[in-house]
Amino acid sequence: MTDKILAGRVALVTGASSGIGDATARALAAAGAQVAIVARRKDRLDVLARELTQSGAQALAIPADLAREDENRRIVAETEAQFGRLDILVNNAGVMLLSPVEGADPADWRRMLELNVLGLMVSSQAALAGMRSRGGGHIVNIASTAGRIANANVSGYSASKFAVVAFSESLRREVYKDHIRVSVIEPGVVETELREHIPHAGTRQAIDAWAASMRQLQPEDIANAVLYCVSQPAHVNVNEILIRPTDQER
Ligand code: NDP
C-alpha cells in the first residue's frame, strides 16, 4: 500500500533543467510518479535525476533540443520505451526573447514559435496514440498571462503563448472522449532564469524592475498547480489555471 497519489503513473516534464520544470518534476516524483526529464543541459538533468533517484523515485534524463520537431517525438518514444507508458505530459520548455516589434530579430520570433508552440504541438501529438490505447492520459501545457493579455514589447512571446492556449482548447475538444485531459496553466511573474535571455536591454531592465516591485511566484507555486490538475479524479478536467503573484496587476 502507498499513499502516493501518482503511484504507478509515468510523467514526462520538458524544460526540467531549471525553474518551473525542475520544481514540477520534483513535485510529481514526490507524489509517486516515475518521471522522465527533458532539456538541453544534460549536466543539470543528470544532477536532478540523481536527486530524484536518491529520494526513492524513478527518473530518466533525456537530453533533447525541443526546437527540433523530431526530438519532440523521440522524448515521448523513449519515455514509453523505458517506463512502458506515458500518463502525464507536461509541456513546459520555453523561451522568452522580448523586444519591441521594430528592431526585433525575426530569428528570435522563430525560436519562440518553434519551441513554445510547434515543439509543444508535436510532443502532444506524439503522446496521443499511447494515451488513447491505454484508456486515458493528461497533457499539461504551460502558457502565461501573456497568453491571455498582450502588452507592449512582448509581441512574439505573447503570440506564442496565445497559440498555446488556443491549441490546448482545440486539442481538449478532440480528445476528451478518449479520457485524455488537457490543462493549460498561465503563470504571471515567476522567479526563474527565463528573463536572463531577453535580448533587448531596455525591455530586460523594465521587466526586471517590474518583477522586483512584487513578491514573485516561486517555481514550486506553479508545480503545485500542475500537481493539482493531474491529481484530480478522472471525471474532473481542470482546463485552465491563471495564477498571478498577489502583487501583480496586469
Ligand atoms: P527557465 O528559463 O528557468 O526554464 C526554461 C526551461 O526550458 C529550461 O529547463 C530550459 O532548459 C528549457 N529549454 C529552453 N530551450 C529549450 C530547447 N530548445 N529544448 C529543450 N528545452 C529547452 O524558465 P521558467 O521555468 O520560468 O519557464 C518554464 C515555462 O514557464 C516556459 O514555457 C515559460 O514561458 C513559462 N512561464 C514562465 C514565467 C516566468 O515568469 N518565469 C511566467 C509565465 C510562463 P535548457 O536550457 O537546459 O535546454
Side-chain angles (χ1 to χ4, degrees):
M1 276 295 283
T2 172
D3 58 357
K4 297 206 168 191
I5 196 158
L6 298 182
R9 311 265 295 278
V10 173
L12 189 166
V13 181
T14 71
S17 61
S18 65
I20 294 168
D22 175 288
T24 299
R26 291 175 193 277
L28 299 183
Q34 297 163 285
V35 184
I37 49 177
V38 179
R40 292 167 301 177
R41 287 171 290 181
K42 180 179 183 308
D43 50 340
R44 292 221 193 173
L45 292 181
D46 287 342
V47 170
L48 176 59
R50 218 167 22 247
E51 286 179 24
L52 294 178
T53 305
Q54 280 164 0
S55 69
Q58 284 189 52
L60 172 68
I62 312 177
D65 181 352
L66 299 179
R68 289 181 42 192
E69 201 181 304
D70 55 338
E71 292 283 86
N72 286 278
R73 280 188 278 273
R74 179 175 67 84
I75 60 170
V76 171
E78 285 197 14
T79 304
E80 291 176 332
Q82 174 72 23
F83 291 129
R85 53 193 296 128
L86 172 57
D87 303 296
I88 300 164
L89 169 63
V90 183
N91 285 311
N92 163 78
V95 286
M96 182 175 77
L97 308 172
L98 308 181
S99 286
V101 172
E102 196 169 15
D105 184 346
D108 288 341
W109 290 342
R110 184 181 301 279
R111 277 183 65 199
M112 288 190 284
L113 292 170
E114 285 182 346
L115 176 65
N116 302 5
V117 187
L118 193 61
L120 169 150
M121 291 167 71
V122 174
S123 58
S124 299
Q125 180 188 49
L128 292 181
M131 288 181 174
R132 186 176 288 121
S133 73
R134 290 183 295 272
H138 203 143
I139 297 174
V140 181
N141 291 331
I142 308 299
S144 170
T145 48
R148 288 283 300 271
I149 53 163
N151 284 306
N153 304 333
V154 187
S155 58
Y157 181 70
S158 222
S160 78
K161 294 301 189 178
F162 268 75
V164 170
V165 174
F167 175 77
S168 302
E169 174 60 7
S170 183
L171 176 65
R172 185 189 69 75
R173 292 177 185 223
E174 290 185 23
V175 300
Y176 75 95
K177 284 188 177 145
D178 299 311
H179 312 293
I180 298 171
R181 293 183 278 185
V182 180
S183 303
V184 62
I185 297 184
E186 298 147 340
V189 177
V190 189
E191 192 169 14
T192 69
E193 298 173 12
L194 191 73
R195 293 190 291 272
E196 293 173 14
H197 311 293
I198 295 174
H200 184 260
T203 304
R204 166 91 196 260
Q205 279 165 13
I207 295 270
D208 281 346
W210 184 49
S213 74
M214 65 181 85
R215 288 168 298 170
Q216 300 171 58
L217 295 173
Q218 296 303 305
E220 294 72 23
D221 298 319
I222 307 308
N224 284 340
V226 176
L227 185 59
Y228 170 76
C229 290
V230 302
S231 56
Q232 295 305 304
H235 68 286
V236 179
N237 194 353
V238 180
N239 303 143
E240 188 173 6
I241 297 182
L242 177 60
I243 173 170
R244 288 186 175 90
T246 305
D247 302 332
Q248 180 179 340
E249 183 190 0
R250 61 188 160 83

